[in-house]
Amino acid sequence: MQAGADQQFDLEAYSANYTSHAKVNRLIFIANKTNSVPIQLEALRIAADELQHSYDTSRYSEVCRQIGGRLGPQYVIDSAKLAKKQLEAEQKHQALDNELNGYKTNLIKNSIRMCQTYMGDHAYNRGNLQDAFKCYVRTRDYCSTAKDITQMCLNVIKVAIELNNYTHVQNYVSKAESTPDVQDSIISTKLKCAAGLAALKEKKYKAAARKFTDVSAELGSSYSDVMSVQDVALYGSLCSLASCDRQELKRTIIENFRYREVLSTTPEVRDLVYDFYSSKYAACLSTLDRLKPFFNLDIHLSTHVNTLCSMVRNRALIQYSTPFTSVNLATMAPVFITDVSALEKELAKLIQDKQIQARIDSHAKVLHARHANLRSQTFQAALQAGDEYLQETHSLLLRSSLMRHDIFQRAQMPRGRGMQYPEHTMQMTGPG
């Protein structure tokens, strides 16, 4: 998928990675975000095609209104058809409700759980997220196996993500992870994805990086109703570049064979990571600028793009300048695709934030590193070690002298009624 600009954005290929609400939500987000009318109409068309087979009539009507007749009569609201769909949905809901009441009367625990889940699925398909959330949560009291509990947690997490309630996401991820006897690797992978997304939303980029880079390509399309494996590659790579130092990046991505399989699904993002690690900053930052329009069209990443890209650039500046005693800004500027004046301002900000230990010679346009005085530090450490050694030696000599003269302090005796004991009793024996 080429995504450097709207004109290169292959919506059909992109949307094929998702199913259900994830597909529709992403397409509507792109339609509202993009400045390209053809891309907007294409996104709305695919969303309408997806929604016309569902019971979410209100969402379908909204998409058709946004299309506004620009795609022909087949995307104009058919009131009779919508009314028929609504009636079918209501009848199905009523049938499920009657079935649930029967199970409750007969106290069939597993059937109650399954029926509540079906009601949650139906409410979700209708777009009633709050009702779906309540139905899924109610199944908690009727779960009898570890598999039931994890499935309940995954259902709640899915709806909570769509409701932007990431507190519930974290709570139910923890609940599922603490469930004993769950060894399904796919479930574990899904929970890591959800936890990573929650950390991303809270701007805990390093925590998000750890979760996403722990996901393997085994995920495949199994979580397509929330995110794709390409999303895992994108989110994990960007968060890692923004928050990890060189050694951490090597450990979490470069030497992480499991995650490298995930990264291979997005070659441009893979090149971005390897260029950064290889210190090819011009190529890395050029790719980042080219992909930025695509990042802005991602429903979960959009609000973090500017922050993450800025953090990646700052980390590149820090890594470039760290090995040198002095750096000529005129030499450094082309590497970061900028001019000397703008580079000087960026470096001054990093120095002010104490991310770079250096000073700038504004006249000569040279960055001078402030290295610690190792000679002075060594002398100070030696003096401190000498003082500690003298203190320990004095203590040992005093203890040795006391033991040689059999001088000791007895423990204080408990006081009895009518009896008095001295507070301390010293006994000294020896010659004389």
Side-chain angles (χ1 to χ4, degrees):
M1 176 176 58
Q2 299 294 321
D6 282 347
Q7 288 73 16
Q8 296 176 299
F9 195 57
D10 187 349
L11 267 178
E12 286 284 0
Y14 175 77
S15 62
N17 293 320
Y18 307 99
T19 57
S20 186
H21 285 211
K23 182 175 185 176
V24 173
N25 290 338
R26 286 175 178 269
L27 288 167
I28 292 175
F29 182 84
I30 290 169
N32 293 332
K33 191 81 173 176
T34 183
N35 294 321
S36 169
V37 174
I39 290 291
Q40 181 190 51
L41 289 176
E42 180 71 359
L44 292 172
R45 180 189 67 78
I46 299 172
D49 289 342
E50 182 74 15
L51 285 167
Q52 69 177 344
H53 302 296
S54 74
Y55 287 119
D56 196 349
T57 54
S58 60
R59 206 93 189 275
Y60 178 72
S61 300
E62 178 189 335
V63 170
C64 288
R65 278 193 291 271
Q66 281 188 267
I67 293 171
R70 291 176 291 175
L71 294 176
Q74 65 268 39
Y75 295 102
V76 175
I77 297 174
D78 186 340
S79 300
K81 186 177 179 180
L82 289 183
K84 183 179 178 182
K85 276 276 186 185
Q86 289 171 346
L87 180 60
E88 289 177 7
E90 191 57 39
Q91 288 173 341
K92 185 173 181 179
H93 171 76
Q94 194 60 48
L96 287 170
D97 192 44
N98 292 336
E99 189 176 349
L100 177 63
N101 289 332
Y103 292 140
K104 284 182 176 179
T105 301
N106 296 316
L107 299 175
I108 308 174
K109 187 175 180 179
N110 191 53
S111 297
I112 294 172
R113 180 189 62 79
M114 292 177 64
C115 197
Q116 285 279 20
T117 302
Y118 294 150
M119 290 187 74
D121 293 342
H122 183 59
Y124 184 74
N125 291 334
R126 295 182 73 179
N128 298 333
L129 298 181
Q130 292 292 352
D131 289 346
F133 184 84
K134 291 174 184 176
C135 288
Y136 289 141
V137 170
R138 285 178 190 138
T139 64
R140 179 175 53 190
D141 297 330
Y142 303 98
C143 293
S144 53
T145 66
K147 185 178 179 181
D148 294 343
I149 294 171
T150 53
Q151 188 56 54
M152 176 274 296
C153 290
L154 286 172
N155 286 333
V156 173
I157 288 166
K158 176 179 67 176
V159 181
I161 288 173
E162 202 164 334
L163 288 169
N164 284 314
N165 191 331
Y166 286 93
T167 301
H168 281 310
V169 173
Q170 291 173 329
N171 290 341
Y172 280 89
V173 165
S174 298
K175 184 175 181 62
E177 288 177 338
S178 63
T179 301
D181 303 324
V182 177
Q183 298 178 348
D184 191 325
S185 58
I186 295 295
I187 290 177
S188 177
T189 301
K190 288 180 179 181
L191 294 173
K192 289 171 186 173
C193 290
L197 194 58
L200 174 64
K201 288 292 182 177
E202 293 186 351
K203 300 185 179 180
K204 296 177 180 177
Y205 300 126
K206 197 160 191 172
R210 283 197 296 267
K211 290 295 183 181
F212 285 127
T213 55
D214 200 26
V215 173
S216 69
E218 185 182 14
L219 178 69
S221 60
S222 63
Y223 212 24
S224 60
D225 54 345
V226 175
M227 67 174 69
S228 67
V229 69
Q230 289 86 352
D231 293 330
V232 175
L234 174 57
Y235 302 161
S237 298
L238 267 187
C239 290
S240 295
L241 290 176
S243 62
C244 297
D245 60 30
R246 187 175 181 81
Q247 290 303 316
E248 289 172 325
L249 190 65
K250 181 181 180 181
R251 186 177 65 255
T252 57
I253 295 183
I254 305 301
E255 295 180 346
N256 185 345
F257 296 105
R258 281 159 43 95
Y259 189 71
R260 275 163 52 185
E261 289 184 48
V262 173
L263 201 56
S264 66
T265 61
T266 52
E268 289 180 312
V269 176
R270 180 192 60 200
D271 294 343
L272 177 71
V273 173
Y274 279 88
D275 283 342
F276 185 93
Y277 183 74
S278 303
S279 301
K280 299 176 182 177
Y281 299 119
C284 172
L285 295 174
S286 294
T287 302
L288 195 63
D289 286 340
R290 181 165 51 82
L291 293 177
K292 198 172 177 179
F294 164 64
F295 298 159
N296 278 315
L297 296 179
D298 185 279
I299 192 170
H300 297 301
L301 195 62
S302 179
T303 55
H304 305 275
V305 170
N306 291 334
T307 301
L308 287 170
C309 289
S310 177
M311 289 174 69
V312 172
R313 184 177 178 85
N314 288 344
R315 194 160 286 276
L317 288 166
I318 294 167
Q319 285 191 184
Y320 182 92
S321 60
T322 297
F324 301 107
T325 304
S326 62
V327 184
N328 191 313
L329 299 190
T331 304
M332 188 176 177
V335 176
F336 290 91
I337 320 171
T338 186
D339 56 61
V340 173
S341 177
L343 178 61
E344 186 176 351
K345 291 178 181 177
E346 286 185 87
L347 291 171
K349 181 70 168 59
L350 290 172
I351 292 170
Q352 186 180 1
D353 294 340
K354 297 183 179 180
Q355 295 189 58
I356 294 180
Q357 299 299 317
R359 55 188 176 82
I360 300 173
D361 184 340
S362 294
H363 178 72
K365 301 300 181 186
V366 175
L367 179 73
H368 294 283
R370 283 180 178 166
H371 292 298
N373 190 332
L374 297 179
R375 182 185 178 90
S376 176
Q377 285 185 352
T378 303
F379 276 123
Q380 291 296 329
L383 288 171
Q384 184 179 352
D387 290 340
E388 290 174 356
Y389 174 76
L390 285 173
Q391 186 177 355
E392 289 176 6
T393 303
H394 288 150
S395 298
L396 287 171
L397 288 171
L398 176 60
R399 178 179 176 82
S400 176
S401 178
L402 290 171
M403 291 177 67
R404 187 170 63 253
H405 291 88
D406 200 17
I407 298 173
F408 59 91
Q409 179 178 326
R410 290 177 180 170
Q412 184 176 347
M413 300 294 290
R415 295 182 183 274
R417 180 175 300 177
M419 298 177 65
Q420 297 294 326
Y421 291 89
E423 292 291 334
H424 299 283
T425 301
M426 296 295 291
Q427 178 177 330
M428 180 182 293
T429 61

